[in-house]
Amino acid sequence: MATLSADATSPRAPGIGPACPVAGGNAAPGFRHFLGTPQASQRFRAFGADPVEFPSHVQHVRGLMHRLSRRMDAEIAWPSHRDASLQRWENPAIPSGYTYLLQFVAHDLVQSALPLSVAGRRGAATGNARRTPLMLESLYGSGPVGSPHLYALDSPSDDRRTKLRLGRMRWKETPRGAGCPFRDIARAQAENVTGVDRNIPGQRPALTEALVADARNDDHAIISQLTAMFALLHNGLVDLVRRGEPVSNANARFGAAYRRFLCARDAMTSIYHAVIAKDMMRRVLHPAVYAAYSGPNPRFMDHASDPASAPGEWQIPFEFSHGAFRFGHAMVRPEYRINDLSEHDLNNTLEKNSINEPVNMPLDETWMVQWSRFFEIDGSRPNFSRRIGPYLSDGLGNDHIFPAFDATERVGLLYRDLLGATLAGMWSVDALIAEIAARRPDFVAQSRMLDDRAFRVAQLRQWLTSASAAYGGLTDADVETLSNDPPLPFFVLF
């Protein structure tokens, strides 16, 4: 497998000397690489140097990703749809509900104490704590015994817990306490014992605590409503199981409650897996790729055979978590029709949570998601997601939600995505394509962008230079290194 020498295509950055080890090592527990660990010559490079091998080079990589992210601020001139009622940027093949189902799935696959982009290097803090993927840990936590705050008591005289805790919506025009029951996630007020009090005297108390297994499931109003919907489904399954339970004594009721919870969770997980495999993946994967893996006996390219992997321990590939899966951020719309009466822009949507607006919690009726506005239900016309390309909605540059964290002073999610990918020691795009071609040439042959390297480089170079003067100010050296060795999340969007 031939890979291009970075030294032959782009200038070496200043100040690059002998390799020095990264403080704390390069280990990131819970992660591995797709198709095995790449050799040094197969890893992503910028200006001819590997940021993992040369930590002193990271400052140059930060500047490059800053400039690339600014180039990606230029909105894409999409062609018009035949349906004149659609915005050019809308994607009628993927309703916007899948944007947030993908986010929920991401939370169920990866949980790290600190983003790699902010940490600046791989280590224990950037490791992945998820060890049982797609088992709804982000909903159930450690279960009723390990995470009792997530569960409601079965009855006033019974300390068993089998249903997930939920909260009531708030109605703007009615007294506190009224409202549609159990449509928001559960939220609570923390006692003020530290002198920090976010309550407003004479108004609603500040509900600063979102009682969810994964705090990211309260990142914004849509993901918290999706989490509440999953909780409602679990609780409905508990009711179904309970109907078939025989009347028994107290000791038997304890065992019944245990079995009831496990039965409902198993059913919920099976439904979740079916939605992912039979619906969500069908919409986001290329049809040929989906067909190759959706049959009864799929032949997978990747078997997690990396010798560095711990035996029997599930690990997620960096090339997925920090690379390809970031495409979902490009699907986010600039505004959403939440229900028949309410429309909210993205900035307002992102700020609706217990951290940013605790005195406005629980959510009011204007945030009560009408799911037929997000998924095709009984012929409904939902909000459609954005077409996927190298551009994110302006709201994902919100400096309050995604503030600057390094000397570039670049705000927004896009820069974080790009920088995190460059610090993960991932396969370069060239090397990854070559490895896939060696294992599944039929996949690569379907795309000229993958199959023809000269064409790929020319297309990238043309795009990078087309608006660089107005967006980002990419230098000639920037263009050469990015067109020959693009960061994986950017290439996937491109």
Side-chain angles (χ1 to χ4, degrees), residues 316-350:
I316 192 166
F318 278 118
E319 289 74 15
F320 179 75
S321 61
H322 289 67
F325 205 39
R326 302 286 168 151
F327 80 90
H329 293 155
M331 296 168 57
V332 176
R333 291 174 59 92
E335 80 289 315
Y336 289 93
R337 172 67 65 180
I338 300 295
N339 52 50
D340 287 344
L341 301 176
S342 305
E343 183 172 351
H344 295 287
D345 67 28
L346 180 58
N347 280 299
N348 196 19
T349 303
L350 292 175

Side-chain angles (χ1 to χ4, degrees), residues 244-309:
E245 292 175 358
V247 177
S248 56
N249 59 39
N251 290 335
R253 285 198 297 273
F254 178 81
Y258 182 75
R259 290 190 298 272
R260 181 190 319 136
F261 171 76
L262 292 181
C263 184
R265 179 171 181 166
D266 284 351
M268 177 75 182
T269 305
S270 295
I271 294 168
Y272 176 58
H273 289 172
V275 169
I276 292 171
K278 297 181 180 180
D279 184 15
M280 186 187 77
M281 292 176 70
R282 179 177 60 82
R283 290 179 182 270
V284 301
L285 291 178
H286 187 285
V289 176
Y290 183 77
Y293 294 118
S294 61
N297 297 299
R299 180 170 64 90
F300 293 105
M301 281 192 296
D302 183 36
H303 292 283
S305 56
D306 185 347
S309 300

Side-chain angles (χ1 to χ4, degrees), residues 42-344:
Q42 296 173 315
R43 292 201 296 263
F44 167 82
R45 293 179 178 229
F47 303 116
D50 176 355
V52 174
E53 185 179 1
F54 298 96
S56 62
H57 184 50
V58 170
Q59 61 177 319
H60 302 294
V61 175
R62 291 180 188 274
L64 180 63
M65 294 305 110
H66 176 203
R67 294 187 292 276
L68 175 57
S69 72
R70 296 298 300 267
R71 169 61 186 90
M72 294 171 70
D73 281 344
E75 193 157 4
I76 301 169
W78 294 107
S80 299
H81 293 282
R82 291 181 180 179
D83 183 348
S85 67
L86 291 171
Q87 299 283 345
R88 289 185 175 210
W89 48 264
E90 288 186 299
N91 181 0
I94 307 181
S96 61
Y98 293 94
T99 308
Y100 299 101
L101 181 57
L102 283 162
Q103 183 181 9
F104 186 91
V105 168
H107 295 172
D108 214 27
L109 288 169
V110 178
Q111 185 178 35
S112 297
L114 193 64
L116 181 53
S117 57
V118 177
R121 64 175 184 263
R122 298 182 303 182
T126 63
N128 180 21
R130 291 277 182 254
R131 291 296 184 269
T132 52
L134 300 179
M135 294 302 290
L136 290 171
E137 282 187 355
S138 66
L139 181 69
Y140 290 113
S142 299
V145 175
S147 305
H149 63 288
L150 304 179
Y151 296 86
L153 293 170
D154 282 5
S155 72
S157 58
D158 189 341
D159 63 359
R160 286 176 280 275
R161 300 167 185 254
T162 57
K163 285 188 175 183
L164 287 160
R165 193 188 300 272
L166 282 160
R168 298 181 187 273
M169 300 291 285
R170 171 171 58 86
W171 291 83
K172 285 184 172 182
E173 305 301 328
T174 56
R176 174 173 169 76
C180 181
F182 311 131
R183 279 295 305 266
D184 192 16
I185 59 172
R187 304 177 191 272
Q189 179 182 7
E191 184 180 1
N192 174 28
V193 296
T194 61
V196 178
D197 189 351
R198 298 188 68 182
N199 293 316
I200 298 178
Q203 297 189 27
R204 292 183 301 274
L207 302 183
T208 56
E209 315 307 308
L211 302 181
V212 288
D214 188 325
R216 296 170 298 173
N217 287 343
D218 186 38
D219 274 355
H220 53 78
I222 299 174
I223 194 71
S224 62
Q225 282 279 280
L226 183 66
T227 302
M229 182 180 71
F230 279 126
L232 283 165
L233 177 55
H234 167 83
N235 292 350
L237 291 168
V238 167
D239 288 338
L240 286 174
V241 174
R242 190 192 294 272
R243 292 175 194 170
E245 292 175 358
V247 177
S248 56
N249 59 39
N251 290 335
R253 285 198 297 273
F254 178 81
Y258 182 75
R259 290 190 298 272
R260 181 190 319 136
F261 171 76
L262 292 181
C263 184
R265 179 171 181 166
D266 284 351
M268 177 75 182
T269 305
S270 295
I271 294 168
Y272 176 58
H273 289 172
V275 169
I276 292 171
K278 297 181 180 180
D279 184 15
M280 186 187 77
M281 292 176 70
R282 179 177 60 82
R283 290 179 182 270
V284 301
L285 291 178
H286 187 285
V289 176
Y290 183 77
Y293 294 118
S294 61
N297 297 299
R299 180 170 64 90
F300 293 105
M301 281 192 296
D302 183 36
H303 292 283
S305 56
D306 185 347
S309 300
E313 179 182 340
W314 178 80
Q315 297 171 313
I316 192 166
F318 278 118
E319 289 74 15
F320 179 75
S321 61
H322 289 67
F325 205 39
R326 302 286 168 151
F327 80 90
H329 293 155
M331 296 168 57
V332 176
R333 291 174 59 92
E335 80 289 315
Y336 289 93
R337 172 67 65 180
I338 300 295
N339 52 50
D340 287 344
L341 301 176
S342 305
E343 183 172 351
H344 295 287

Side-chain angles (χ1 to χ4, degrees), residues 12-24:
R12 182 173 293 277
I16 297 300
C20 58
V22 177

Side-chain angles (χ1 to χ4, degrees), residues 272-474:
Y272 176 58
H273 289 172
V275 169
I276 292 171
K278 297 181 180 180
D279 184 15
M280 186 187 77
M281 292 176 70
R282 179 177 60 82
R283 290 179 182 270
V284 301
L285 291 178
H286 187 285
V289 176
Y290 183 77
Y293 294 118
S294 61
N297 297 299
R299 180 170 64 90
F300 293 105
M301 281 192 296
D302 183 36
H303 292 283
S305 56
D306 185 347
S309 300
E313 179 182 340
W314 178 80
Q315 297 171 313
I316 192 166
F318 278 118
E319 289 74 15
F320 179 75
S321 61
H322 289 67
F325 205 39
R326 302 286 168 151
F327 80 90
H329 293 155
M331 296 168 57
V332 176
R333 291 174 59 92
E335 80 289 315
Y336 289 93
R337 172 67 65 180
I338 300 295
N339 52 50
D340 287 344
L341 301 176
S342 305
E343 183 172 351
H344 295 287
D345 67 28
L346 180 58
N347 280 299
N348 196 19
T349 303
L350 292 175
E351 291 173 352
K352 281 292 180 291
N353 57 49
S354 280
I355 295 296
N356 291 321
E357 297 190 5
V359 295
N360 289 326
M361 296 295 131
L363 295 170
D364 64 46
E365 74 272 20
T366 68
W367 295 101
M368 188 181 293
V369 169
Q370 185 176 339
W371 291 112
S372 59
R373 291 284 184 178
F374 287 80
F375 297 96
E376 294 167 349
I377 299 174
D378 294 334
S380 68
R381 178 170 173 145
N383 301 287
F384 295 118
S385 61
R386 288 194 72 101
R387 284 174 159 175
I388 297 169
Y391 174 81
L392 305 189
S393 290
D394 290 345
L396 295 180
N398 186 312
D399 61 355
H400 178 62
I401 306 296
F402 308 107
F405 58 89
D406 64 14
T408 68
E409 298 187 356
R410 178 64 164 152
V411 302
L413 184 59
L414 179 55
Y415 174 66
R416 297 181 180 215
D417 285 350
L418 295 172
L419 183 61
T422 65
L423 300 176
M426 295 195 292
W427 288 78
S428 70
V429 167
D430 273 3
L432 189 59
I433 291 171
E435 185 67 19
I436 293 172
R439 303 188 190 202
R440 290 299 298 262
D442 52 319
F443 286 168
V444 171
Q446 295 184 62
S447 167
R448 186 180 178 189
M449 186 68 71
L450 302 182
D451 197 37
D452 184 341
R453 186 184 187 281
F455 175 76
R456 176 168 70 248
V457 172
Q459 292 292 300
L460 286 162
R461 184 182 290 117
Q462 178 183 358
W463 185 87
L464 289 164
T465 57
S466 63
S468 62
Y471 290 90
L474 293 170

